[in-house]
Amino acid sequence: MSERADVVIVGAGHGGAQAAIALRQAKFDGSIVIVGDEPELPYERPPLSKDYLSGEKPFERILIRPAAFWDERQVTMRLGERVVAVDPAAKRVTFADGSTLGYGALVWATGGSPRRLGCAGNDLAGVHAVRNRADVDRMIAELPGVMRVVVIGGGYIGLEAAAVLTKLGKQVTVLEAQGRVLARVAGEPLSRFYEAEHRAHGVDLRTGVGVDCIEGADGRATGVRLVDGTVLPAEMVIVGIGIIPAVEPLIAAGAEGNNGVAVDAQGRTSLADIYAVGDCAAHANRFADGATIRLESVQNATDQATAVAKAIAGEAAAYDAVPWFWSNQYDLRLQTVGLSTGHDQAVLRGDPATRSFSVVYLKGGRVVALDCVNATKDYVQGRKLVLEGAIIAPAKLADAAVPLKEMV
């Protein structure tokens, strides 16, 4: 008879860890197994491109919980193993080595894999992603022999890595294909501010540029060739151009989904007793006007996991949390609440020259999101404006002398 657990959680990141924690908090006393394809206990991912890369935090300090925590709550870890197939009829998963594990409920929390460049040289030594501990450990090991770094992708991961490497004394170039950094997630005022900050710190930041290939010698990257023929010499190349949701076994098993696996408000997929959470879960989100989206954030992973755990434990709880994000670059702390995608107006609140300001995003006159740079009060108080879809005159929002809490 094959081995079985009441709940099998595939994925040992934030979502998987929180699902197990929330199940025990909901007094679920069945057996729980977490399967992780890394050899590590669940750990925090955001510090990888910041504190861990810089050496400011050792790995032990970014563990979500110590080993004793999982032992005390009787959560079994199967680490360094990868699920390659799901049989929803038999309620069983198959591992890469051919072994199987039965389940009562299955929680899919696998996140995604880094999107790779589609050009020649993408597999050369010295070309890195920033997705897991092993990725960053490889970078750290190479850094003593690195002077020039090219970062491909001007999103949060790329910019955070650029900030850390600049502080470590490296010569950093950032390449962004679109006309500004953070184009997918922020308005132009914020993009221009961060471009200026990085350039002021010595980063050679270029927008609207395309990569032709990664050049190399003896199997190792030596530079990046742009489509205009320019070659940027580099001993290290970091690629941060998004992720591909890791849902192939679920889709192959018949789960509905395209860009991710489709889930309802309780995290249920179209397959019986199979749930999905986090970066790989495509869900209807009211803060995106009901559109089906994937959210790549710790908040989303943990809040969805909590809703799923309650559903498994027999409680009715829908995921309906306001999205929030953060990013640390240099001495700047960016805090975001809501989703600015599709906004039709961006109101600048405060002076970027002071390095403490906010951008308030409106859609149809309603507040839908805020980006707050070194402005924690705006972030905290603006949350209610987003939750309520408040309608406030732009001129009033722009008056930084008036606290946002007085505008509700």
Side-chain angles (χ1 to χ4, degrees), residues 153-159 174-195 205-209 240-242 329 334 339-343 346 361 371:
Y156 288 125
I157 293 292
L159 294 180
V174 173
L175 306 176
E176 170 54 51
Q178 298 195 56
R180 57 186 176 90
V181 301
L182 304 175
R184 287 192 310 116
V185 295
E188 187 166 348
L190 194 79
S191 297
R192 300 309 182 199
F193 171 78
Y194 273 97
E195 288 169 4
L205 192 152
R206 309 184 188 193
T207 58
V209 295
I241 55 174
Q329 299 170 46
L334 169 65
L339 298 174
S340 62
T341 308
H343 70 273
Y361 298 96
D371 281 326

Side-chain angles (χ1 to χ4, degrees), residues 3 13 52 104 120-121 158-159 165 176 182 226 293 333 384 397:
E3 194 178 350
Y52 186 66
L159 294 180
L165 293 169
E176 170 54 51
L182 304 175
L226 306 182
I293 62 172
R333 180 163 177 80
K384 189 169 185 180
L397 287 169

